[in-house]
Amino acid sequence: MKKLIGANWKMHKNQAEARAFLKDLASGLKATQATSVETVLFPPFTVLPAMQQTLEQTGPCVNLGGQDVYPAEDGAFTGEISPDMLLDTGCKWVLTGHSDRRHRIGEDTILAGKKTAFALKHGLSVILCIGETIEQREAGCLKDILTMQIYDALRDVPEKDMDRLVVAYEPVWAIGTGVVASDKDIRTTHSFVRTELDKLPGGSKVRILYGGSVKPENAANILNINNVDGLLIGGSSLDVDSFLQIIHTAQQAA
Ligand code: PGA
């Protein structure tokens, strides 16, 4: 399986910054022929058309994804975005269940699940994010929380859509904090997630990413842990040099 490296830009970058980043990224990737890694950028919705146009000039060196999607085709959902709107702006991917949405915006596992199933049904590939808060971990609830997040999300996903699903394990306490989960925590949790996914029809095809304070300095170590099939990166994906370094590290680990 190809390693997957995702860049979650969150609420960062305007159109000019996004275009410049993509041009630099494309030349960096061309120079080093980083072809054994799949790269997906998740920018804000507002820069997607600019990035789609830039990719027409640079060639299709990366894929684009939306940071969120609403589970309806169209209608009175002010502020929301549909799968077709994402496809129309060049997106093949979307994030669901990200901890910012679960914990800052108050999205529950049921809505994250509806988004996951709906986006897959409408042809998008999905990175479903799961992860526990520090309180849940300290209370010994890690496995219960992850199991609930996985099953609530995948209950309505048919086997035929599972090959377009990726799961990102992102401990909430490691996101944007500079604190990375230990090798042992990543190894045991990814092994648990792998076992749970393998129980589902088609689940053995699902790749598992790690996310949470990944940087060029720790990427090689994390990528070499069993059952880590790639990375989802926030802060370090905003700087093109850091992001390229991580992609090259993934190329070596592939
Ligand atoms: P971080 O964010 O790399 O800045 O910790 C990861 C994420 O939110 O997906």
Short mmCIF file of all heavy atoms in Angstrom, two decimals, residues 3 5 37 215-224 231 242-254:
data_model
loop_
_atom_site.label_atom_id
_atom_site.label_comp_id
_atom_site.label_asym_id
_atom_site.label_seq_id
_atom_site.Cartn_x
_atom_site.Cartn_y
_atom_site.Cartn_z
N LYS A 3 2.13 4.88 0.95
CA LYS A 3 1.97 5.75 2.12
C LYS A 3 1.16 6.97 1.71
O LYS A 3 1.33 7.49 0.59
CB LYS A 3 3.34 6.21 2.64
CG LYS A 3 4.23 5.07 3.11
CD LYS A 3 3.97 4.72 4.56
CE LYS A 3 4.99 3.72 5.07
NZ LYS A 3 4.49 2.78 6.05
N ILE A 5 0.19 10.91 2.71
CA ILE A 5 0.53 12.07 3.53
C ILE A 5 -0.53 13.14 3.28
O ILE A 5 -0.68 13.62 2.15
CB ILE A 5 1.93 12.62 3.17
CG1 ILE A 5 3.00 11.52 3.29
CG2 ILE A 5 2.29 13.82 4.05
CD1 ILE A 5 3.24 11.00 4.69
N VAL A 37 4.56 8.02 -2.93
CA VAL A 37 3.77 8.55 -1.83
C VAL A 37 2.55 9.26 -2.40
O VAL A 37 2.66 9.96 -3.41
CB VAL A 37 4.61 9.56 -1.00
CG1 VAL A 37 3.78 10.22 0.08
CG2 VAL A 37 5.82 8.89 -0.41
N LYS A 215 6.29 16.31 12.75
CA LYS A 215 7.23 17.30 12.22
C LYS A 215 8.28 16.55 11.39
O LYS A 215 8.37 15.32 11.51
CB LYS A 215 8.00 17.99 13.36
CG LYS A 215 7.16 18.72 14.35
CD LYS A 215 8.08 19.34 15.42
CE LYS A 215 7.28 19.84 16.59
NZ LYS A 215 6.57 18.79 17.34
N PRO A 216 9.10 17.28 10.60
CA PRO A 216 10.14 16.58 9.85
C PRO A 216 11.03 15.73 10.77
O PRO A 216 11.49 14.66 10.39
CB PRO A 216 10.94 17.72 9.20
CG PRO A 216 9.97 18.86 9.12
CD PRO A 216 9.06 18.72 10.28
N GLU A 217 11.27 16.21 11.99
CA GLU A 217 12.20 15.52 12.91
C GLU A 217 11.64 14.19 13.45
O GLU A 217 12.40 13.32 13.83
CB GLU A 217 12.53 16.40 14.12
CG GLU A 217 13.16 17.75 13.80
CD GLU A 217 12.14 18.78 13.33
OE1 GLU A 217 11.08 18.90 13.95
OE2 GLU A 217 12.41 19.47 12.32
N ASN A 218 10.32 14.05 13.55
CA ASN A 218 9.80 12.80 14.12
C ASN A 218 9.08 11.92 13.10
O ASN A 218 8.63 10.81 13.42
CB ASN A 218 8.89 13.08 15.34
CG ASN A 218 7.70 13.98 14.98
OD1 ASN A 218 7.27 14.02 13.85
ND2 ASN A 218 7.17 14.69 15.97
N ALA A 219 9.00 12.40 11.84
CA ALA A 219 8.19 11.66 10.86
C ALA A 219 8.75 10.27 10.56
O ALA A 219 7.99 9.29 10.48
CB ALA A 219 8.10 12.48 9.57
N ALA A 220 10.08 10.15 10.42
CA ALA A 220 10.67 8.85 10.04
C ALA A 220 10.36 7.82 11.11
O ALA A 220 9.93 6.69 10.82
CB ALA A 220 12.18 8.99 9.87
N ASN A 221 10.54 8.22 12.35
CA ASN A 221 10.29 7.32 13.46
C ASN A 221 8.85 6.81 13.45
O ASN A 221 8.59 5.60 13.55
CB ASN A 221 10.59 8.10 14.75
CG ASN A 221 10.59 7.20 15.95
OD1 ASN A 221 11.03 6.06 15.84
ND2 ASN A 221 10.07 7.68 17.05
N ILE A 222 7.91 7.74 13.29
CA ILE A 222 6.49 7.35 13.34
C ILE A 222 6.14 6.46 12.14
O ILE A 222 5.43 5.46 12.27
CB ILE A 222 5.58 8.61 13.38
CG1 ILE A 222 5.90 9.44 14.62
CG2 ILE A 222 4.10 8.23 13.36
CD1 ILE A 222 5.23 10.82 14.66
N LEU A 223 6.67 6.82 10.96
CA LEU A 223 6.33 6.06 9.76
C LEU A 223 6.86 4.62 9.80
O LEU A 223 6.37 3.77 9.07
CB LEU A 223 6.88 6.77 8.51
CG LEU A 223 6.06 7.98 8.05
CD1 LEU A 223 6.87 8.85 7.10
CD2 LEU A 223 4.75 7.54 7.40
N ASN A 224 7.86 4.38 10.65
CA ASN A 224 8.41 3.03 10.72
C ASN A 224 7.70 2.14 11.74
O ASN A 224 8.05 0.98 11.91
CB ASN A 224 9.91 3.08 11.00
CG ASN A 224 10.64 3.43 9.70
OD1 ASN A 224 10.37 2.83 8.66
ND2 ASN A 224 11.51 4.42 9.75
N LEU A 231 0.53 9.76 7.33
CA LEU A 231 0.45 10.81 8.35
C LEU A 231 -0.58 11.86 7.95
O LEU A 231 -0.72 12.16 6.76
CB LEU A 231 1.81 11.50 8.48
CG LEU A 231 3.00 10.60 8.83
CD1 LEU A 231 4.32 11.35 8.59
CD2 LEU A 231 2.92 10.11 10.27
N SER A 242 9.10 22.16 5.16
CA SER A 242 8.82 21.12 6.17
C SER A 242 7.97 20.01 5.55
O SER A 242 8.22 18.82 5.77
CB SER A 242 8.02 21.67 7.35
OG SER A 242 8.71 22.70 7.96
N PHE A 243 6.97 20.42 4.79
CA PHE A 243 6.06 19.42 4.24
C PHE A 243 6.79 18.53 3.23
O PHE A 243 6.63 17.30 3.23
CB PHE A 243 4.85 20.13 3.61
CG PHE A 243 3.75 19.19 3.23
CD1 PHE A 243 3.19 18.34 4.18
CD2 PHE A 243 3.27 19.13 1.93
CE1 PHE A 243 2.17 17.45 3.84
CE2 PHE A 243 2.26 18.26 1.58
CZ PHE A 243 1.71 17.42 2.53
N LEU A 244 7.65 19.15 2.39
CA LEU A 244 8.43 18.36 1.43
C LEU A 244 9.35 17.38 2.14
O LEU A 244 9.50 16.23 1.73
CB LEU A 244 9.26 19.29 0.54
CG LEU A 244 8.58 19.77 -0.75
CD1 LEU A 244 9.39 20.90 -1.38
CD2 LEU A 244 8.39 18.62 -1.74
N GLN A 245 9.97 17.84 3.23
CA GLN A 245 10.86 16.93 3.98
C GLN A 245 10.09 15.71 4.47
O GLN A 245 10.58 14.59 4.44
CB GLN A 245 11.41 17.66 5.21
CG GLN A 245 12.65 18.48 4.94
CD GLN A 245 13.15 19.07 6.26
OE1 GLN A 245 13.44 18.36 7.20
NE2 GLN A 245 13.23 20.38 6.34
N ILE A 246 8.86 15.94 4.93
CA ILE A 246 8.06 14.82 5.44
C ILE A 246 7.69 13.87 4.29
O ILE A 246 7.75 12.65 4.43
CB ILE A 246 6.80 15.33 6.19
CG1 ILE A 246 7.25 16.11 7.43
CG2 ILE A 246 5.89 14.18 6.58
CD1 ILE A 246 6.13 16.81 8.19
N ILE A 247 7.36 14.45 3.13
CA ILE A 247 7.03 13.58 1.98
C ILE A 247 8.25 12.74 1.58
O ILE A 247 8.15 11.54 1.31
CB ILE A 247 6.55 14.43 0.77
CG1 ILE A 247 5.22 15.12 1.13
CG2 ILE A 247 6.37 13.57 -0.47
CD1 ILE A 247 4.74 16.11 0.09
N HIS A 248 9.43 13.35 1.59
CA HIS A 248 10.65 12.59 1.23
C HIS A 248 10.93 11.49 2.25
O HIS A 248 11.36 10.40 1.89
CB HIS A 248 11.85 13.54 1.09
CG HIS A 248 11.66 14.51 -0.04
ND1 HIS A 248 12.18 15.77 -0.05
CD2 HIS A 248 10.95 14.39 -1.19
CE1 HIS A 248 11.81 16.40 -1.16
NE2 HIS A 248 11.06 15.56 -1.86
N THR A 249 10.67 11.79 3.50
CA THR A 249 10.85 10.76 4.54
C THR A 249 9.89 9.61 4.28
O THR A 249 10.26 8.43 4.39
CB THR A 249 10.54 11.38 5.92
OG1 THR A 249 11.38 12.50 6.09
CG2 THR A 249 10.77 10.40 7.04
N ALA A 250 8.67 9.93 3.89
CA ALA A 250 7.68 8.88 3.62
C ALA A 250 8.10 8.06 2.39
O ALA A 250 7.89 6.84 2.33
CB ALA A 250 6.31 9.50 3.38
N GLN A 251 8.72 8.73 1.44
CA GLN A 251 9.20 8.05 0.23
C GLN A 251 10.24 7.00 0.62
O GLN A 251 10.24 5.88 0.12
CB GLN A 251 9.83 9.13 -0.66
CG GLN A 251 10.61 8.62 -1.82
CD GLN A 251 9.78 8.68 -3.10
OE1 GLN A 251 8.56 8.79 -3.02
NE2 GLN A 251 10.41 8.60 -4.23
N GLN A 252 11.11 7.37 1.57
CA GLN A 252 12.14 6.41 1.99
C GLN A 252 11.54 5.26 2.80
O GLN A 252 12.01 4.14 2.74
CB GLN A 252 13.21 7.12 2.83
CG GLN A 252 14.24 7.82 1.95
CD GLN A 252 14.80 9.08 2.60
OE1 GLN A 252 14.71 9.26 3.81
NE2 GLN A 252 15.35 9.97 1.79
N ALA A 253 10.45 5.57 3.52
CA ALA A 253 9.84 4.52 4.36
C ALA A 253 8.93 3.62 3.53
O ALA A 253 8.51 2.56 4.01
CB ALA A 253 9.03 5.18 5.48
N ALA A 254 8.58 4.03 2.30
CA ALA A 254 7.57 3.29 1.51
C ALA A 254 8.10 1.94 1.05
O ALA A 254 9.29 1.79 0.84
CB ALA A 254 7.15 4.13 0.31
#
